[in-house]
Amino acid sequence: MLTPRTLSFCHTTGQLHLLSKVDLCKWTFVSGPLCGLVAVAMAAPLVGTQEVTTEKLLDEAVTQGYTKQGEMFSASNMSSLVQSVLAAPFRSEVVCNCDEARILHYLLQGNFLLTPYDADKNHRPCNKKGQKAHWMLITGVFVAVNNAENIINLGQLEENQDDYQQDLYHLKPEKPTTPEILKILRQNTDKIQGVFVYGHQGKSKHTGVWTIGELLDSNSQLTELGPERSVDEYIVPEGGVEKGLCGKMVRVYRSETVV
């Protein structure tokens, strides 16, 4: 799961302890403007929903007037579509203008985030003003903590210690992170040297690992429809891409989760 780029960062940043929390999902290939629907299809099994096909999601989205070809330029419509296929007790909501601390909080609580961003040629986040808008599913977080033994009782994490990398601990993905660890991390953000997210999207079967910062930068500048995209061919909300996507994500969470 850990890329050479991530491990290189960890080995050159000092006395770090690494906390990784991720849910792996079944990859679904995307062709055409179906990236948002594919992200929903990949998320469905993670929240107890029977496998949902992209075709079924497309039919529902067209019926509801959310899309013409599979494009999803509205986070609000995306949330409504997600809610229609979620199994209890999971729910969805649109969250706006999140900072790094809020994203970290959500992911450590076991939430998932459907996130629009500009995708570069290698699928990593870039800044193209929304002209390369794409959807990804974020299912986990990787945190590098400086001298974590000073703030966290690592003894309680021994059973989660990585077999090959001594300072790497895998937080159980099937349970919310213990409130104690979450509280400690939030109270000691100065100890956090790096935060990465695990992202999945339909154009690559490989899990992406990117900093929260570069993802938020990309998400916050979605303002334009690509010049090769005609408004007549898609359903674009009033106010355009900026109103529909800029600074917005769809959060999927258990209804009993404390926010």
Side-chain angles (χ1 to χ4, degrees), residues 93 102 105-106 109 111 186 251 253 256-259:
E93 67 173 359
R102 176 55 57 177
H105 176 86
Y106 286 152
Q109 285 287 79
N111 298 175
R186 294 187 70 190
R251 172 185 172 231
Y253 63 101
E256 68 267 24
T257 298
V258 177
V259 297

Side-chain angles (χ1 to χ4, degrees), residues 177-220:
T177 303
T178 63
E180 178 186 357
I181 293 178
L182 177 61
K183 181 179 180 180
I184 290 172
L185 288 175
R186 294 187 70 190
Q187 291 176 342
N188 293 272
T189 54
D190 60 311
K191 299 292 186 181
I192 297 178
Q193 298 300 303
V195 181
F196 300 82
V197 294
Y198 292 105
H200 314 267
Q201 46 81 37
K203 293 186 177 180
S204 173
K205 63 181 180 180
H206 301 291
T207 300
V209 183
W210 301 292
T211 67
I212 285 184
E214 62 185 323
L215 181 63
L216 289 178
D217 285 346
S218 184
N219 174 257
S220 67

